[in-house]
């Protein structure tokens, strides 16, 4: 569904018409796994000039478009052309009325590694090109059956890209972030979306055994039949549309061919909140295959959620033995030890985690470089506005960045990626329970410190020279072999290390006869991996910044003085607190950030906090005695307050996303669906109407203070407060929530 406002089409000017297509072709060999977003190239010229004199080329990216056939793409391009030619628009300060004679749409097929391209000539014909990664066209070599297969693969790839792309939400604030992109909700277009969902599920089943071609997350070294982006996307689509029964039917059929998918069945049952059936499925899966790490991990995580870490421990150990090269199995074992308070084994296990530095979390990346921001046309959509969000002053944000407190700039933990970021999260879980000083004691107890290693190396070298023998010390699941000739250190390969480590980090080390002169305590220690040693230093920096902030805050309170920070500084402090698992302090920082100006990151983190607090309240409600009158009296009041804050956060973030051409956020859709499940759609609609009733302020003008152009109409200077929000939310309620008959959709 294309945007109703002409001003909500971001574009980039090309050096010459078609330059983006040439650039994309040149980069095809670089496309891996799910590949880049779809690209749309547009030829256009002013209606007042001849085509040959005034034709220019522009391009933008898309996700969520129906790419299941030539016809669906051609229809999308035709509607885009109609939108751009229907009336004049402001183009870099000048009012232009365009003609669009030609558009080309490119979508990468990650299964067969080809770029599918459809060109529409207006009026008249359309044509298709299929280009392989060598830049050669292969259209003429395909029969109809192969072509249909290519379109199915392209469509499935596009939907997976749309639902799995990174939702960090800070892309527009990051250097190199893709802003010239329109993200469409593929599941919010009435009966057409029901057909699209059906086609996706059929295509998923058809391509299931090819899923490993799409790649996998950083937790897994190599994609498998069960662990890959195709399965991840399938689970997300089922969750978004709550098509659990249909999903289970598909997986039951696949299970008859390959029983290893039983963990996916259990996962779907858990998403459906059918815990009894899920537990039965998990039990059957483990009975049938006691080395199925996917089922073992799923059951271990279920036990952890139910606060049964002792039961989860043995499952996690078995999972590590079954898949010693998977980061995910080790991370669950670390969580088990941490929950049990066995911090020594938690550190030893963390130290054994196989780190995956060659992969990144999947996110959409720019294909065509932008020479200058002067080539970017990023108009502000005027069909949905909320003053607090829409009128954000870009100059104020730039000022905050230029004047950022040096002690808060570039804290290294904020830049961690892949499994290193996940490992840091596990380390902060440990320090949150032990405290820094105690953590250092555990660290010294289980790991060889540098001075100890040097001292022992000197001692062992003397022993080796005296006996002219070769000895080995088991350190960090690696054999460090020292020779009496050069004292050279040889370390086993990572794969062998992981196999050795499958005996589990907590097992004791048995000394050999050649080690009898070594200190007994030293023999039990491991060498701390360099990456983990680095995480300790990053943790120290975070703790130092957090402690300083808390001390300053107490000082200012004691002096009855206002503790002032910019929104950016509060946001960074909130992020530090969240990393250290101090969520209450973090929420205060993010709330302070929002009191200064709107920040998408702060609002998103506050939404996560409200959702977390509501879950805690729900848990407390189920465990608190029904005789506790005080709690019962306050429960509904607290729940209503949290739900109001959740709704407010969702609305503001939806408006922000719309301003940046994104009408699809799985996180926000799931949060809204969950809220409707608790409150009912009728109550949500009433709350939206009451909170965001549109108000017209005549003659005040519609001012856009950002550096981007607005799609203003000079004939209308009226300013609307809360413009279009009720309509926007009705689209989600009527076209999405009721379309899929989500929980409480009609109540």
């Amino acid at each position: 569904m294309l945007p109703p406002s002409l001003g909500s089409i971001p574009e980039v000017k090309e050096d010459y018409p078609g330059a983006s297509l040439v650039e994309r072709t040149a980069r095809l060999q670089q496309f891996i796994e799910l590949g880049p977003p779809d690209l749309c190239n547009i030829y256009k010229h002013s209606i007042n000039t001849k085509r040959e004199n005034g034709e220019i080329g522009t391009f933008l990216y898309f996700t969520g478009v129906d790419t299941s056939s030539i016809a669906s793409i051609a229809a999308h391009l035709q509607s885009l052309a109609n939108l751009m030619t229907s009336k004049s628009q402001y183009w870099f300060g000048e009012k232009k009325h365009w003609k669009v004679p030609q558009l080309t749409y490119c979508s990468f097929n990650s299964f067969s590694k080809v770029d599918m391209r459809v060109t529409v000539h207006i009026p008249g014909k359309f044509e298709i090109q299929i280009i392989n990664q060598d830049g050669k066209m292969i259209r003429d070599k395909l029969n109809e059956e192969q072509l249909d297969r290519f379109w199915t693969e392209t469509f499935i790839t596009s939907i997976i890209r749309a639902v799995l792309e990174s939702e960090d939400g800070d892309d527009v604030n990051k250097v190199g972030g893709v802003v010239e992109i329109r993200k469409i909700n593929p599941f919010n277009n009435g009966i057409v979306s029901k057909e699209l969902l059906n086609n996706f599920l059929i295509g998923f089943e058809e391509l299931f055994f090819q899923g490993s071609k799409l790649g996998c997350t950083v937790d897994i070294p190599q994609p498998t039949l069960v662990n890959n982006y195709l399965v991840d996307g399938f689970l997300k689509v089922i969750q978004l549309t709550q098509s659990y029964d249909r999903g289970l039917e598909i997986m039951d059929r696949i299970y008859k061919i390959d029983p290893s998918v039983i963990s996916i069945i259990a996962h779907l049952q858990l998403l459906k909140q059918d815990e009894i059936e899920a537990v039965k499925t998990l039990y059957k899966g483990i009975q049938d295959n006691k080395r199925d790490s996917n089922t073992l991990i799923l059951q271990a995580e279920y036990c952890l959620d139910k606060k049964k870490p002792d039961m989860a421990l043995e499952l996690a150990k078995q999972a590590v033995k079954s898949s010693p090269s998977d980061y995910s199995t080790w991370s669950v074992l670390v969580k088990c030890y941490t929950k049990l308070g066995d911090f020594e084994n938690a550190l030893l296990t963390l130290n054994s985690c196989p780190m995956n530095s060659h992969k990144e979390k999947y996110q959409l990346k720019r294909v065509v470089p932008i020479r200058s921001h002067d080539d970017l046309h990023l108009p502000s959509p005027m069909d949905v506005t909320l003053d607090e969000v829409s009128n954000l002053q870009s100059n104020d944000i730039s000022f905050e960045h230029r004047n950022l407190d040096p002690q808060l700039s570039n804290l290294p933990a904020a830049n961690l990626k892949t499994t290193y970021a996940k490992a840091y999260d596990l380390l902060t879980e440990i320090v949150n329970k032990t405290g820094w000083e105690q953590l250092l004691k555990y660290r010294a107890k289980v790991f060889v410190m540098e001075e100890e290693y040097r001292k022992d190396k000197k001692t062992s070298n003397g022993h080796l020279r005296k006996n002219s023998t070769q000895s080995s010390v088991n350190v960090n699941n690696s054999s460090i072999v020292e020779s009496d000739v050069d004292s050279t250190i040889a370390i086993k390969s990572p794969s062998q290390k992981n196999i050795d480590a499958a005996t589990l980090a907590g097992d004791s080390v048995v000394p050999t006869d050649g080690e009898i002169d070594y200190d007994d305590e030293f023999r039990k220690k491991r060498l701390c991996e360099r990456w983990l040693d680095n995480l300790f230093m990053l943790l120290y920096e975070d703790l130092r910044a957090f402690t300083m902030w808390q001390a300053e805050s107490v000082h200012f309170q004691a002096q009855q003085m206002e503790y002032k920070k910019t929104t950016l500084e509060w946001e960074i402090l909130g992020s530090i607190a969240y990393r250290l698992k101090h969520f209450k302090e973090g929420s205060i920082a993010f709330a302070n950030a929002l009191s200064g100006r709107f920040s998408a990151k702060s609002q998103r983190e506050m939404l996560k906090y409200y959702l977390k607090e509501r879950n805690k309240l729900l848990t407390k409600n189920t465990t608190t005695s029904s005789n506790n009158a005080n709690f019962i009296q306050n429960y509904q009041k607290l729940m209503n307050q949290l739900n109001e804050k959740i709704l407010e956060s969702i609305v503001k973030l939806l408006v922000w996303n719309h301003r940046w051409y994104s009408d699809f956020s799985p996180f926000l859709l799931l949060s809204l669906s969950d809220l409707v499940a608790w409150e009912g759609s009728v109550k949500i609609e009433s709350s939206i109407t009451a909170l965001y009733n549109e108000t017209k302020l005549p003659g005040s003008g519609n001012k856009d203070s950002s550096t981007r152009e607005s799609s203003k109409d000079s004939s209308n200077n009226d300013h609307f407060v809360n413009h279009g929000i009720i309509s926007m939310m009705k689209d989600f309620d009527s076209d999405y929530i009721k379309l899929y008959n989500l929980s409480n959709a009609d109540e």
Side-chain angles (χ1 to χ4, degrees):
M1 182 167 58
L2 283 172
S5 167
L6 183 64
S8 54
I9 303 175
E11 295 175 81
V12 183
K13 289 192 296 184
E14 295 180 298
D15 288 347
Y16 57 88
S20 60
L21 299 177
V22 175
E23 184 72 30
R24 185 177 174 99
T25 301
R27 292 173 176 256
L28 281 173
Q29 287 188 331
Q30 301 174 18
F31 295 175
I32 60 172
E33 298 191 331
L34 288 176
D38 298 349
L39 183 142
C40 181
N41 173 253
I42 304 166
Y43 283 30
K44 62 183 184 179
H45 65 92
S46 175
I47 200 170
N48 298 319
T49 61
K50 292 183 179 180
R51 176 175 177 180
E52 57 271 17
N53 295 330
E55 188 173 74
I56 65 170
T58 68
F59 70 90
L60 72 153
Y61 301 102
F62 277 99
T63 61
V65 173
D66 181 357
T67 60
S68 59
S69 66
I70 302 174
S72 62
I73 293 178
H76 171 77
L77 293 177
Q78 184 67 60
S79 65
L80 182 61
N82 292 342
L83 194 61
M84 299 184 79
T85 58
S86 61
K87 65 176 183 178
S88 60
Q89 71 175 117
Y90 278 89
W91 179 260
F92 294 100
E94 296 182 19
K95 202 167 188 179
K96 296 277 190 178
H97 199 166
W98 299 107
K99 280 189 176 181
V100 180
Q102 180 178 317
L103 306 92
T104 299
Y105 195 89
C106 312
S107 187
F108 185 64
N109 173 346
S110 296
F111 289 93
S112 296
K113 309 301 179 188
V114 295
D115 211 31
M116 307 290 283
R117 300 183 180 183
V118 174
T119 299
V120 171
H121 301 272
I122 299 174
K125 63 177 182 178
F126 58 83
E127 58 189 6
I128 178 178
Q129 292 180 323
I130 302 176
I131 303 177
N132 65 19
Q133 289 191 288
D134 293 329
K136 298 177 181 178
M137 286 189 288
I138 61 172
R139 170 71 175 90
D140 296 336
K141 300 177 183 179
L142 302 175
N143 57 40
E144 286 302 313
E145 183 179 348
Q146 290 172 318
L147 185 59
D148 289 344
R149 174 81 172 196
F150 269 18
W151 280 120
T152 299
E153 293 174 348
T154 304
F155 169 63
I156 297 299
T157 304
S158 294
I159 298 299
I160 300 296
R161 264 197 298 266
V163 299
L164 291 188
E165 71 102 352
S166 173
E167 282 206 84
D168 292 339
D170 300 322
D171 289 346
V172 296
N173 298 322
K174 292 179 180 177
V175 176
V178 182
V179 293
E180 63 279 19
I181 185 169
R182 161 61 65 179
K183 300 177 183 178
I184 296 174
N185 185 347
F187 307 109
N188 193 24
N189 194 16
I191 193 65
V192 175
S193 289
K194 293 283 269 189
E195 183 180 350
L196 181 144
L197 172 62
N198 183 61
N199 290 338
F200 172 81
L201 295 177
I202 292 172
F204 166 79
E205 186 170 3
E206 180 181 339
L207 297 173
F208 176 79
F209 291 97
Q210 306 297 316
S212 59
K213 293 181 179 179
L214 300 189
C216 61
T217 65
V218 297
D219 290 355
I220 309 297
Q222 297 293 331
T224 66
L225 186 66
V226 174
N227 293 308
N228 58 65
Y229 284 135
L230 178 63
V231 172
D232 295 342
F234 167 73
L235 292 171
K236 182 67 74 174
V237 169
I238 294 296
Q239 191 178 13
L240 284 166
T241 60
Q242 294 189 13
S243 307
Y244 298 112
D245 292 339
R246 179 77 184 277
L248 287 167
E249 288 174 8
I250 291 171
M251 294 315 305
D252 283 339
R253 288 194 292 269
I254 296 175
Y255 173 80
K256 294 175 182 177
I257 303 172
D258 192 326
S260 69
V261 303
I262 195 166
S263 61
I264 303 177
I265 296 174
H267 196 154
L268 283 171
Q269 291 168 334
L270 288 173
L271 289 175
K272 190 183 178 183
Q273 298 184 345
D274 191 351
E275 294 189 0
I276 294 176
E277 288 303 313
V279 170
K280 291 179 181 178
T281 301
L282 289 170
Y283 176 77
K284 175 175 173 51
I286 294 176
Q287 290 300 112
D288 291 345
N289 182 3
K290 292 181 171 58
R291 296 186 60 83
D292 182 354
S293 61
N294 295 299
T295 308
L296 289 164
I297 284 299
L298 196 59
Q299 188 163 5
E301 289 177 329
Y302 179 79
C303 291
L304 285 175
D305 289 340
K306 296 302 180 182
K307 303 189 185 308
K308 300 288 185 182
D310 52 330
M311 297 176 66
L313 180 62
E314 293 305 316
L315 293 163
K317 284 183 178 181
Q318 184 61 40
V320 167
K321 291 178 181 178
S322 301
S323 296
S325 60
D326 290 5
Y327 171 85
S328 58
T329 57
W330 287 93
S331 66
V332 173
L333 184 56
V334 176
K335 292 176 186 177
C336 292
Y337 281 130
T338 303
K339 294 287 186 184
L340 288 167
D342 188 350
F343 303 118
E344 293 180 22
N345 272 328
L347 287 173
L348 287 168
T349 307
L350 179 59
N351 193 54
S352 300
C353 286
M355 306 309 287
N356 196 344
S357 58
H358 70 282
K359 282 177 61 70
E360 292 184 10
K361 180 179 180 181
Y362 177 71
Q363 59 184 9
L364 300 176
K365 292 185 178 181
R366 181 175 282 133
V367 176
V368 183
I370 296 177
R371 299 168 304 170
S372 166
H373 284 285
D374 294 336
D375 293 331
L376 279 168
H377 176 66
L378 304 175
S380 297
M382 290 294 110
D383 56 321
V384 178
T385 59
L386 180 62
D387 280 0
E388 176 187 348
V389 178
S390 305
N391 292 342
L392 193 59
Q393 300 278 349
S394 58
N395 291 335
D396 289 347
I397 300 174
S398 299
F399 177 82
E400 289 179 12
H401 279 273
R402 290 195 304 270
N403 295 276
L404 178 62
D405 183 347
Q407 295 183 352
L408 295 178
S409 62
N410 297 321
L411 282 170
N415 299 318
L416 287 169
K417 296 180 180 179
T418 66
T419 47
Y420 296 101
K422 293 173 179 286
Y424 186 75
D425 190 61
L426 295 174
L427 184 60
T428 57
E429 285 281 2
I430 298 172
V431 77
N432 185 252
K433 294 182 179 295
T434 64
W436 175 248
E437 295 297 330
Q438 194 62 37
L439 177 66
L440 292 182
K441 292 179 182 178
Y442 284 120
R443 180 193 182 197
K445 189 173 182 181
V446 299
F447 294 134
V448 177
M449 308 319 308
E450 185 176 357
E451 59 272 17
E452 289 181 292
Y453 177 67
R454 287 176 178 172
K455 178 181 177 182
D456 181 80
K457 182 178 179 181
K458 182 178 180 181
T459 304
S460 62
N461 280 343
H463 177 78
L464 287 167
R465 282 193 295 270
K466 180 179 179 181
N467 294 282
S468 298
T469 59
Q470 188 180 60
S471 64
S472 64
V473 185
N474 188 323
V475 180
N476 184 37
N477 300 317
S478 304
S479 287
I480 299 184
V481 181
E482 302 200 35
S483 168
D484 61 341
V485 178
D486 57 10
S487 299
T488 302
I489 299 178
I491 303 180
K492 291 183 181 179
S493 66
S495 59
Q496 183 61 42
K497 283 170 58 179
N498 291 328
I499 293 171
D500 292 344
T503 58
L504 300 179
D507 292 350
S508 60
V509 180
V510 180
T512 65
D513 292 339
E515 297 171 338
I516 55 176
D517 291 337
Y518 284 79
D519 178 81
D520 185 58
E521 287 301 314
F522 178 82
R523 269 203 316 273
K524 296 178 182 177
K525 294 187 178 184
R526 313 289 170 86
L527 184 65
C528 185
E529 291 280 3
R530 183 173 296 178
W531 63 262
L532 181 55
D533 202 41
N534 185 54
L535 292 189
F536 275 103
M537 291 188 284
L538 270 55
L539 177 59
Y540 171 79
E541 291 296 322
D542 267 358
L543 287 167
R544 182 185 60 80
F546 179 81
T547 303
M548 186 177 296
W549 160 36
Q550 293 298 297
E552 286 180 352
S553 180
V554 170
H555 173 74
F556 274 77
Q557 287 179 10
Q559 298 297 320
Q560 296 185 337
M561 297 168 61
E562 184 181 2
Y563 188 45
K564 292 185 178 180
K565 295 283 184 184
T566 66
T567 292
L568 177 60
E569 288 169 343
W570 280 121
E571 196 170 89
I572 293 173
L573 290 171
S575 298
I576 294 170
Y578 270 29
R579 286 200 297 269
L580 297 174
K581 308 299 182 291
H582 296 299
F583 297 109
K584 181 65 176 178
E585 292 84 351
S587 69
I588 293 172
F590 286 124
N592 288 338
L594 290 169
S595 66
R597 64 167 172 82
F598 177 77
S599 158
K601 178 179 176 59
S602 294
Q603 195 71 68
R604 194 165 42 255
E605 297 302 332
M606 287 303 295
L607 174 56
K608 293 176 183 177
Y609 177 75
Y610 296 144
L611 293 170
K612 187 186 297 286
E613 287 297 298
R614 190 179 66 180
N615 286 337
K616 286 167 60 176
L617 188 62
L618 289 168
T619 301
K620 190 174 182 180
N621 184 47
T622 57
T623 57
T624 302
S625 170
S626 58
N627 297 325
N628 192 329
N630 290 333
F631 176 78
I632 295 173
Q633 184 177 359
N634 291 326
Y635 171 77
Q636 195 58 50
K637 179 182 178 182
L638 293 171
M639 183 61 72
N640 288 337
Q641 289 175 347
L642 282 171
N643 284 339
E644 287 175 6
K645 292 177 180 178
I646 289 170
L647 179 60
E648 181 185 13
S649 298
I650 291 173
V651 169
K652 289 180 179 179
L653 288 169
L654 286 173
V655 173
W656 172 258
N657 282 359
H658 185 78
R659 185 266 171 270
W660 288 106
Y661 326 110
S662 173
D663 293 316
F664 183 51
S665 165
F667 169 60
L668 293 180
L669 285 177
L670 291 173
S671 299
L672 181 60
S673 300
D674 187 54
L675 187 61
V676 169
W678 285 105
E679 298 279 81
S681 62
V682 173
K683 184 175 180 179
I684 296 300
E685 287 179 12
S686 299
S687 297
I688 293 293
T689 303
L691 291 170
Y692 299 100
N693 189 32
E694 190 167 304
T695 305
K696 182 178 181 180
L697 302 178
S700 58
N702 202 334
K703 300 177 182 178
D704 177 25
S705 54
S706 74
T707 58
R708 279 79 179 177
E709 292 185 57
S710 110
S711 59
K712 55 191 176 185
D713 184 341
S714 59
S715 65
N716 183 8
N717 289 323
D718 292 332
H719 174 57
F720 292 90
V721 178
N722 304 334
H723 179 53
I725 293 175
I726 294 176
S727 176
M728 176 186 73
M729 296 306 293
K730 279 186 177 178
D731 284 342
F732 284 109
D733 184 47
S734 301
D735 293 345
Y736 175 72
I737 291 175
K738 290 180 180 177
L739 177 66
Y740 298 104
N741 194 30
L742 306 188
S743 300
N744 258 350
D746 297 315
E747 296 183 13

